[in-house]
Amino acid sequence: MAVRKRVEEIGKKRPVTVEINGQKYAFEVEPRLLLVHYIREYAGLTGTHIGCDTTNCGACTVLMDFNGKWKAIKSCTMFAVQANGKRIITIEGLAKDGELHPLQKAFWEHHGLQCGYCTPGMILAAAGYLMINPNPTEMEVRHGISGNLCRCTGYQNIVKAILAAAEEIRSSGKPVIE
Amino acid sequence: MIPRKFEYLAPNTLAQALNMLRKYRDAKILSGGMSLIPMMKLRLVSPQYVIDINNIKGLSYIKMVGKTIRIGALTRHADIEHSPLIREKLPMLAEAAEVIADQQVRNLGTFCGSLAHADPAADWPANVLALDADMVIQGAGKRVVKASKFFKGPFETALKPTEILREVSIPIPDGPKVGQAYLKFERKAGDFATVGVASVLVLDKNNKIVRAGIGVTAVAPAPYKAVKAEQVLVGNVPSKELVEEAANAAAEMSDPSSDLRGSAEYKREMTKVFTRRSLKKALERAGVSI
Ligand SMILES: Cc1cc2nc3c(=O)[nH]c(=O)nc-3n(C[C@H](O)[C@H](O)[C@H](O)COP(=O)(O)OP(=O)(O)OC[C@H]3O[C@@H](n4cnc5c(N)ncnc54)[C@H](O)[C@@H]3O)c2cc1C
Ligand code: FES
Ligand code: FES
């Protein structure tokens, strides 16, 4: 095996620019910095949570733009350098002009949260799923959020909220993410 | 959890990526990152160089070329799940994609990355074994390895450290009657399989099985092609007894170990049960009742 280089020589900081909720952020970060830490500690957007840090709980879910399509990803399982030049949306970016997003409203109205820890990730996973399937059945909603754990609600009201939001979004004729 | 320091490289061409692999010995390819990053966070692996291939254009595709479907190195699980071409020609792959991990992981994790990673419980290997796929490997030159010769052991494949799995070419099962199925037995949503069985059956007009492909995952050190079960089926008209005999043969070839998902004995039994069910489903889809 090749001899490992001296620690200080490898993995030096480099500039990473990410557009979060329409605003550009630029910081010098180590390649090993995870995107979730970039969002929380560098950009200061602490609405994105860390639950497990092992790709299981979905609390860190954000939306990322892949060639014009928003997709839900787990930001604890991507390096910030991989997001260089990319656009993302976090929970802070959902409400528009003081108006809650239909998913946020539905979670509120249907008691889709208790402690709220899972909620940002849950809502962004739901947004990601509704973009794939705008008119889901209850089972499909459950499948769509199977990467997100909630230790409080028992999921019933989360599923109700997502179904209600789906209906609201469909009847408004607007896209899930504008 | 914070990985050890590494140098991040983001080549724009496959040639650059291959050069980097040759130049830096202690390097890992990063495609979806859905296995590599968790392992780096746990410090199970700590490569000095990470070569991110996501900026290489032209590696993400699902296309039909002649009688084959070609899947590129950067095609994600979700791309396969939602591809109309896959649903039409290789529906078992869409069926498998749906039960891999969760929406977020499927949006990033790649088909080829999973095959290269070769987790003994991964879902894709069973499918490419059943479908008799060709693994297209790029190093200094290009070479093609049959799926049945690709998986060597747990996390071990025919890939050399200086090579990239750049494409998988899958012959579309063709004949008078075709049925495909992937059946996964999992303990909870998104979990790795306790056992997974992929079946491909081609029958002639008289319901004689002319081709059988069975791939089994999670119940041996490496996923395997249940060749003995395939031999039981080919040349015969399916019946309950024949399917049972094939299921037994597939289970006999298993070599499971006891773990949280069950004892070895239980897993061997489940291999039989799920091979039977997978074959029945494939027959049903071929329009053949037994
Ligand atoms: C929560 C969770 C649940 C999961 N559940 C399942 C499941 O149910 N079933 C299942 O099958 N999988 C599951 N996985 C694994 C997932 O499918 C991964 O996406 C897959 O194993 C690796 O693909 P990747 O593209 O993410 O590869 P990476 O993580 O980027 O790479 C994995 C390894 O393969 C190497 N590599 C990657 N691409 C190539 C290439 N083209 N050529 C050569 N080498 C390459 C890398 O260097 C690395 O060593 C799960 C993962 C997570 C995090
Ligand atoms: S913190 Fe990312 S999945 Fe749990
Ligand atoms: S509301 Fe508490 S974890 Fe979901």
Side-chain angles (χ1 to χ4, degrees):
Chain A
M1 209 167 91
V3 181
R4 217 181 156 83
K5 275 207 209 166
R6 296 244 310 282
V7 184
E8 56 269 29
E9 287 173 39
I10 66 159
K12 280 216 271 307
K13 288 194 175 186
R14 53 161 73 209
V16 169
T17 306
V18 187
E19 190 187 309
I20 309 176
N21 306 327
Q23 189 181 328
K24 276 229 163 82
Y25 293 84
F27 301 103
E28 298 254 323
V29 304
E30 282 185 334
R32 64 172 169 173
L33 184 83
L34 295 162
L35 179 59
V36 72
H37 295 298
Y38 183 98
I39 296 169
R40 289 176 55 85
E41 286 148 35
Y42 285 77
L45 297 165
T46 53
T48 304
H49 293 166
I50 302 172
C52 66
D53 212 0
T54 55
T55 331
N56 283 292
C57 76
C60 63
T61 302
V62 300
L63 297 177
M64 182 174 267
D65 179 3
F66 291 87
N67 306 318
K69 270 199 184 141
W70 293 106
K71 292 185 181 171
I73 61 149
K74 293 181 173 176
S75 64
C76 75
T77 315
M78 179 180 275
F79 295 115
V81 280
Q82 292 178 265
N84 191 24
K86 288 239 155 53
R87 302 198 304 153
I88 64 179
I89 293 176
T90 66
I91 192 69
E92 290 91 342
L94 275 191
K96 285 268 166 338
D97 310 318
E99 178 88 6
L100 290 180
H101 184 275
L103 274 162
Q104 291 173 304
K105 250 188 271 175
F107 267 66
W108 184 2
E109 281 161 11
H110 295 268
H111 305 288
L113 62 146
Q114 287 176 23
C115 78
Y117 201 87
C118 70
T119 315
M122 206 54 99
I123 286 183
L124 289 161
Y129 187 67
L130 292 182
M131 284 184 272
I132 300 168
N133 181 1
N135 192 4
T137 62
E138 185 197 321
M139 274 316 285
E140 286 168 348
V141 167
R142 288 182 186 274
H143 185 68
I145 57 164
S146 69
N148 293 68
L149 301 180
C150 174
R151 296 289 84 152
C152 299
T153 64
Y155 302 98
Q156 294 294 86
N157 289 346
I158 292 177
V159 174
K160 270 188 210 153
I162 296 170
L163 286 169
E167 165 106 58
E168 159 84 25
I169 294 166
R170 282 197 311 276
S171 61
S172 75
K174 289 187 194 156
V176 179
I177 298 292
E178 288 183 59
Chain B
M1 290 180 299
I2 299 165
R4 285 185 78 180
K5 287 194 182 197
F6 61 86
E7 202 54 59
Y8 174 79
L9 305 168
N12 291 313
T13 66
L14 197 59
Q16 284 172 359
L18 289 163
N19 274 333
M20 288 170 182
L21 272 182
R22 278 191 290 272
K23 183 166 168 203
Y24 305 112
R25 281 295 166 85
D26 188 8
K28 283 269 179 214
I29 295 290
L30 170 73
S31 49
M34 292 299 103
S35 294
L36 182 62
I37 298 175
M39 287 193 306
M40 287 176 69
K41 286 166 77 173
L42 294 167
R43 302 199 177 191
L44 293 172
V45 292
S46 298
Q48 204 172 120
Y49 294 89
V50 168
I51 305 170
D52 181 355
I53 60 171
N54 284 278
N55 297 317
I56 303 176
K57 298 242 165 0
L59 290 183
S60 173
Y61 54 82
I62 299 171
K63 61 185 179 197
M64 193 157 112
V65 179
K67 291 177 174 167
T68 63
I69 298 283
R70 309 278 171 91
I71 300 180
L74 282 177
T75 305
R76 319 275 166 182
H77 307 326
D79 297 332
I80 295 173
E81 183 182 2
H82 303 299
S83 157
L85 184 61
I86 292 289
R87 294 224 172 237
E88 188 194 332
K89 302 288 181 195
L90 299 170
M92 67 194 285
L93 294 187
E95 190 170 36
E98 271 174 18
V99 291
I100 293 176
D102 53 61
Q103 180 201 170
Q104 294 95 314
V105 171
R106 291 197 293 275
N107 279 339
L108 289 175
T110 66
F111 180 71
C112 287
S114 169
L115 294 168
H117 185 54
D119 187 305
D123 295 294
W124 290 131
N127 286 272
V128 295
L129 285 165
L131 286 161
D132 239 337
D134 285 320
M135 320 296 273
V136 183
I137 297 171
Q138 188 76 49
K142 191 169 119 176
R143 64 190 182 105
V144 177
V145 174
K146 280 260 167 243
S148 54
K149 295 261 165 21
F150 186 74
F151 303 102
K152 303 278 188 195
F155 306 99
E156 211 188 314
T157 67
L159 282 168
K160 297 197 188 91
T162 51
E163 292 178 323
I164 289 178
L165 180 59
R166 67 149 305 166
E167 183 184 87
V168 176
S169 171
I170 305 170
I172 301 166
D174 191 25
K177 295 177 187 180
V178 179
Q180 322 174 6
Y182 180 64
L183 225 60
K184 174 179 182 174
F185 179 38
E186 54 182 8
R187 282 166 58 88
K188 61 178 170 73
D191 194 13
F192 277 92
T194 301
V195 60
V197 184
S199 305
V200 178
L201 295 174
V202 179
L203 301 92
D204 67 14
K205 283 191 215 75
N206 305 319
N207 283 353
K208 195 174 85 187
I209 299 174
V210 290
R211 200 189 129 193
I214 302 174
V216 185
T217 193
V219 286
Y224 63 93
K225 196 166 173 0
V227 185
K228 287 183 187 155
E230 295 170 359
Q231 284 163 355
V232 167
L233 296 169
V234 172
N236 291 306
V237 173
S239 65
K240 282 208 173 75
E241 294 70 33
L242 190 74
V243 167
E244 198 59 30
E245 199 187 323
N248 277 326
E252 254 167 49
M253 286 181 72
S254 72
D255 180 15
S257 46
S258 301
D259 61 17
L260 286 173
R261 294 188 179 86
S263 66
E265 190 191 0
Y266 173 71
K267 289 185 187 177
R268 193 167 292 119
E269 185 63 21
M270 287 306 110
T271 307
K272 187 169 95 189
V273 171
F274 278 79
T275 305
R276 183 207 301 138
R277 289 185 192 169
S278 175
L279 287 170
K280 279 192 173 161
K281 206 167 207 178
L283 283 170
E284 206 178 286
R285 289 175 180 168
V288 177
S289 50
I290 54 168

